[in-house]
Amino acid sequence: MKTIEVDEELYRYIASHTQHIGESASDILRRMLKFTAGQSAPAAPAAGASIKEAQPASREARPQDRVRAVRELLLSDEYAEQNKAVNRFMLVLSTLYRLDPAAFAEATASLQGRTRVYFAGDEHTLLQNGTHTKPKHVPGTPYWVITNTNTGRKCSMVEHIMLAMQFPQELTEKVRGTI
């Protein structure tokens, strides 16, 4: 297997064409290019041939970039390697925060149960608002979240946050289905 480098914009484009969880970039490209195993490919460029390097994509965060970033997470090896719902939950939360910290803060501010606070800026607050909450720090964020809820509750929390952050319903359901 060979490794190639692509710019961020192209990678996101490829990832946006995922049809199922765990589909590899090679599978996606084969489908998009209508290229089948055993089919002869054009010769690779000669050694020393110059190929113009791609220019970096614009840094502006557009809604489709956020959608692509979430799809990339779902396709990532790191996400696929997680064998516990709580670890996938934490990766999704970290990604959502990284994409839009202000919208994440707004979405989590109103998220709580009857007797529990789900998100807080410190572990102590979560411990005070419930017993056996098993708070964990959400990596790369200033937030802590309770983790002893069942998978259905974790999925509901992610759904609430994603919809509040105005992600498409289809993508929200896809993420929910992977936790």
Side-chain angles (χ1 to χ4, degrees), residues 33-174:
L33 298 171
K34 297 180 173 85
F35 185 83
T36 57
Q39 183 178 350
S40 62
S50 175
I51 298 176
K52 186 176 179 183
E53 189 173 320
Q55 297 299 313
S58 167
R59 295 283 179 213
E60 294 177 21
R62 299 182 312 240
Q64 56 267 61
D65 291 339
R66 294 177 344 132
V67 168
R68 286 181 181 153
V70 172
R71 286 184 176 151
E72 286 175 13
L73 170 67
L74 298 180
L75 288 173
S76 72
D77 290 339
E78 181 182 16
Y79 194 77
E81 291 168 356
Q82 302 305 318
N83 56 5
K84 292 184 178 180
V86 68
N87 295 338
R88 290 186 296 273
F89 174 64
M90 298 300 276
L91 278 173
V92 169
L93 294 176
S94 292
T95 300
L96 294 175
Y97 176 84
R98 181 178 46 82
L99 292 172
D100 191 342
F104 184 89
E106 199 172 303
T108 58
S110 63
L111 191 56
Q112 59 188 24
R114 282 188 338 225
T115 59
R116 289 179 161 178
V117 173
Y118 292 153
F119 288 87
D122 61 86
E123 180 180 22
H124 184 70
T125 301
L126 297 177
L127 291 171
Q128 282 183 320
N129 289 287
T131 56
H132 310 293
T133 56
K134 293 188 181 179
K136 284 191 178 185
H137 180 251
V138 180
T141 79
Y143 289 93
W144 286 74
V145 64
I146 64 171
T147 61
N148 75 332
T149 57
N150 63 34
T151 302
R153 175 63 66 196
K154 288 177 181 75
C155 290
S156 294
M157 291 163 66
V158 166
E159 179 178 32
H160 172 88
I161 294 167
M162 289 185 72
L163 293 176
M165 291 177 71
Q166 300 182 343
F167 279 91
Q169 179 71 35
E170 173 190 323
L171 180 61
T172 301
E173 289 171 10
K174 192 175 209 176

Side-chain angles (χ1 to χ4, degrees), residues 7-10 12 54-60:
D7 62 45
E8 186 72 19
E9 186 176 34
L10 181 57
R12 288 180 178 174
Q55 297 299 313
S58 167
R59 295 283 179 213
E60 294 177 21

